[in-house]
Amino acid sequence: MKLGELLEQLLAEHSVIRIQGEKEAEVTALVYDSRKAVPSGSAFFCISGTVYDGHEYAVTAAEAGASVIVAEREVALPEGVTLVLVPDTRRALAYMSAAWFGYPARKLTTIGITGTKGKTTTAYMVYHILESVGIKAGLVGSVEIKNGAETIAADHTTPESYLLQKYFREMVENGCQAVVMEVSSQGLKLSRVAGILFDYGIFTNLEPDHIGPGEHADFEEYAACKASLFRQCRYGILNADDPHMERMLQEHTCGVMTYGCGEGADLRATDIDLHRTDGKLMVSYRTEGALQESFSVPIPGIFSVYNSLTAVAICMQQKIPTEVMQRALSKVQVRGRLETVEVSPRFSLMIDYAHNAMSLKSLLTALREYEPKRLVCLFGCGGNRSRSRRFEMGEISSRYADLTIVTSDNPRFEEPEAIIEDILTGVKKADGDSVTIADRKEAIRYAIVNAKEDDVIVLAGKGHEDYQEIRGVKYPMDDRKLVREVVEELTGEERVRLGIS
């Protein structure tokens, strides 16, 4: 592809400072990682990261065969190599990647969801509703990418712009009509979604998070990144009950619809009912305002009301029949996000990704609302990570759960016993009972075998992960599979006592 074609949108927005060299150079590939091979004739992007600065590798890339260098500052290049000087190479990468793949986002209905919590669950809800009505959809999020033909494990909530455009292109080629994606604050800050005009931008909620070295300098920057989504979407759907909603709408350029439980929302949830059905924790409610209907969702907690309301609001804009939304939401499950694993109608067992104090507190508080006989929390903490997280999670679990089962997660290069000792330091700061079983399968066995009528058991921390990392090696381990193995290995007497058919 000609360089001029790749630069079309950047030039239209006056986002190119200067082009030095052949403006119509033929470009054979886009390269943005200095650690990877640079094909002859490629365009190399000098990305400034937290560890590497691509500008330091510009000459090396040119000598390896790059015909174009895209940079934010002057670099001395060999003769015959074109320099494209831009204010922001990450933004340039996003725009040029879109051109490279033929602007695939323009051929899809694009739904971008941002917020501190609820992005993953909401994305899956919308995805399932669209699929239920025959709208083939792609999915991009923190768990996985679905491109219409295969499922790919996700490395980031929002992929780098080149990969994102590549996935969009695959979705179009595989017959997708829409894409539902999580848009992280980092994805917005690092221009991974630059140049995309979303059809729908969604705001779930905002809490202090992702603030620190390598992320956001402060809460204001975090909020500003989130708010920028509503200057690059046609229609915004926002949580009216969140105190930061007005901040999200500063300088917005989109149409607006709101949802929530308060009177001011365009789509409101009323008559909320938390209940159990055969071991499943459910939430049901009615909607008023823009739609008068009833919905039931097999994912517990008030936040499931908000997440599903978001899905309903989006799908209303798509003119999807109410009965389709009701049917899809009544069956929806999100892998590793308050995911119900059916074991016995006498007690409830769930898997969740909660892996820090804030998310664990939110999880246990939501489950406590169902008034379980006992709330049992099984979790471990990752090795080579902040020790303070272990103390905090231990204390939260001991404070909000009746029984904490401390086990192993991803020990990485630490000894599991040392991590467990740190967790127990936190557990002892509150008054909940605790049991320590390092082997995760044996810990799950203990939780199931000792389950009581109306208990709620949550296996926290691993969520959608299907591995355990030990000394740099990832071994297969999936909480769902461990639960199945435990149940299969139960004696006849145990199965009768636990009500397992």
Side-chain angles (χ1 to χ4, degrees):
M1 181 177 284
K2 298 292 185 182
L3 177 60
E5 295 177 86
L6 293 170
L7 293 175
E8 182 181 0
Q9 289 297 307
L10 286 171
L11 290 168
E13 291 190 6
H14 307 288
S15 295
V16 176
I17 298 172
R18 182 165 58 86
I19 302 173
Q20 176 182 303
E22 177 54 56
K23 297 180 181 180
E24 292 303 314
E26 187 71 30
V27 176
T28 60
L30 306 186
V31 180
Y32 56 93
D33 188 338
S34 60
R35 297 164 295 179
K36 294 184 178 179
V38 180
S40 178
S42 61
F44 178 79
F45 294 79
C46 299
I47 303 293
S48 299
T50 55
V51 178
Y52 299 99
D53 183 352
H55 292 82
E56 297 176 4
Y57 301 90
V59 173
T60 303
E63 291 173 345
S67 60
V68 176
I69 301 295
V70 184
E72 294 173 1
R73 61 177 185 262
E74 296 285 352
V75 288
L77 298 173
E79 187 177 348
V81 178
T82 298
L83 172 66
V84 179
L85 206 60
V86 295
D88 184 345
T89 49
R90 288 187 179 276
R91 188 174 185 83
L93 175 62
Y95 276 67
M96 293 171 72
S97 295
W100 180 261
F101 289 106
Y103 300 102
R106 298 177 182 177
K107 301 165 187 172
L108 298 163
T109 297
T110 47
I111 302 165
I113 304 170
T114 199
T116 303
K117 295 184 293 188
K119 296 188 297 296
T120 300
T121 300
T122 302
Y124 273 90
M125 286 179 172
V126 176
Y127 173 82
H128 284 299
I129 293 173
L130 293 176
E131 290 276 309
S132 296
V133 79
I135 298 175
K136 190 172 183 178
L139 178 74
V140 179
S142 56
V143 177
E144 60 195 5
I145 294 97
K146 294 178 180 290
N147 67 5
E150 60 180 334
T151 298
I152 304 156
D155 291 326
H156 300 285
T157 300
T158 306
E160 187 54 80
S161 58
Y162 177 88
L163 283 176
L164 182 60
Q165 295 294 338
K166 176 177 177 288
Y167 294 140
F168 286 167
R169 174 65 176 269
E170 292 169 351
M171 291 173 194
V172 171
E173 290 176 346
N174 293 328
C176 290
Q177 300 161 269
V179 58
V180 188
M181 67 174 291
E182 300 178 47
V183 183
S184 67
S185 57
Q186 285 291 296
L188 289 159
K189 178 181 178 179
L190 300 178
S191 298
R192 292 174 183 163
V193 294
I196 301 171
L197 179 60
F198 288 92
D199 291 294
Y200 301 98
I202 317 302
F203 169 65
T204 59
N205 51 65
L206 192 68
E207 295 181 11
D209 198 11
H210 301 291
I211 298 168
E215 294 192 274
H216 297 285
D218 51 34
F219 183 73
E220 175 52 35
E221 182 191 280
Y222 178 54
C225 287
K226 296 287 191 188
S228 68
L229 177 62
F230 301 97
R231 295 191 295 276
Q232 64 177 95
C233 69
R234 292 187 172 92
Y235 200 80
I237 298 174
L238 298 93
N239 178 1
D241 294 345
D242 190 277
H244 303 287
M245 187 194 78
E246 292 302 325
R247 173 66 185 85
M248 293 297 104
L249 288 175
Q250 285 181 11
E251 301 179 8
H252 74 281
T253 57
C254 58
V256 173
M257 177 182 183
T258 62
Y259 65 92
C261 298
E263 285 298 320
D266 297 321
L267 178 66
R268 301 185 298 279
T270 64
D271 302 327
I272 297 170
D273 178 32
L274 306 178
H275 59 280
R276 297 192 195 199
T277 302
D278 295 329
K280 294 181 181 179
L281 304 185
M282 308 284 294
V283 59
S284 300
Y285 60 91
R286 285 193 56 79
T287 57
E288 294 183 354
L291 180 69
Q292 292 80 44
E293 279 295 346
S294 297
F295 295 90
S296 186
V297 184
I299 303 176
I302 295 299
F303 45 75
S304 287
V305 174
Y306 284 96
N307 293 339
S308 56
L309 266 180
T310 311
V312 170
I314 295 168
C315 293
M316 283 175 60
Q317 301 302 317
Q318 293 287 294
K319 310 297 183 186
I320 292 176
T322 300
E323 58 270 21
V324 173
M325 292 190 278
Q326 290 170 321
R327 188 165 56 250
L329 287 174
S330 71
K331 299 176 181 179
V332 70
Q333 283 285 311
V334 181
R335 183 175 173 83
R337 300 303 196 275
L338 275 172
E339 177 186 356
T340 298
V341 180
E342 294 187 43
V343 176
S344 166
R346 296 183 186 176
F347 60 89
S348 304
L349 190 147
M350 318 199 78
I351 294 173
D352 193 82
Y353 188 51
H355 60 290
N356 58 40
M358 182 176 70
S359 58
L360 188 63
K361 180 180 177 180
S362 177
L363 168 67
L364 297 178
T365 301
L367 295 178
R368 179 62 73 185
E369 293 178 342
Y370 286 81
E371 300 181 351
K373 183 167 186 177
R374 293 186 311 166
L375 179 53
V376 179
C377 179
L378 179 153
F379 80 98
C381 288
N384 303 105
R385 298 292 188 270
S386 170
R387 291 183 67 198
S388 62
R389 175 179 291 189
R390 305 169 192 176
F391 306 144
E392 293 166 356
M393 289 184 69
E395 183 176 357
I396 289 294
S397 183
S398 186
R399 192 173 304 283
Y400 290 91
D402 299 295
L403 173 63
T404 297
I405 302 175
V406 183
T407 187
S408 188
D409 194 294
N410 291 324
R412 297 187 177 90
F413 289 92
E414 287 193 66
E415 293 300 324
E417 292 76 12
I419 299 171
I420 287 172
E421 282 303 314
D422 284 343
I423 297 171
L424 290 173
T425 298
V427 168
K428 292 171 185 175
K429 292 182 179 180
D431 56 5
D433 292 334
S434 67
V435 174
T436 300
I437 304 172
D439 183 282
R440 197 170 181 97
K441 180 178 177 180
E442 290 306 312
I444 292 172
R445 185 190 308 279
Y446 179 90
I448 291 175
V449 169
N450 291 280
K452 299 180 180 180
E453 187 93 18
D454 293 331
D455 274 0
V456 173
I457 302 167
V458 59
L459 315 181
K462 297 295 290 177
H464 58 277
E465 293 180 352
D466 58 2
Y467 64 87
Q468 184 175 47
E469 186 178 346
I470 303 172
R471 300 204 173 279
V473 179
K474 291 184 178 181
Y475 298 91
M477 190 182 78
D478 186 323
D479 279 352
R480 295 152 207 74
K481 184 177 179 182
L482 295 182
V483 170
R484 289 196 301 270
E485 290 176 356
V486 167
V487 171
E488 289 169 0
E489 293 165 6
L490 293 174
T491 65
E493 181 182 334
E494 288 172 328
R495 298 177 76 88
V496 171
R497 176 170 55 81
L498 294 169
I500 299 173
S501 57

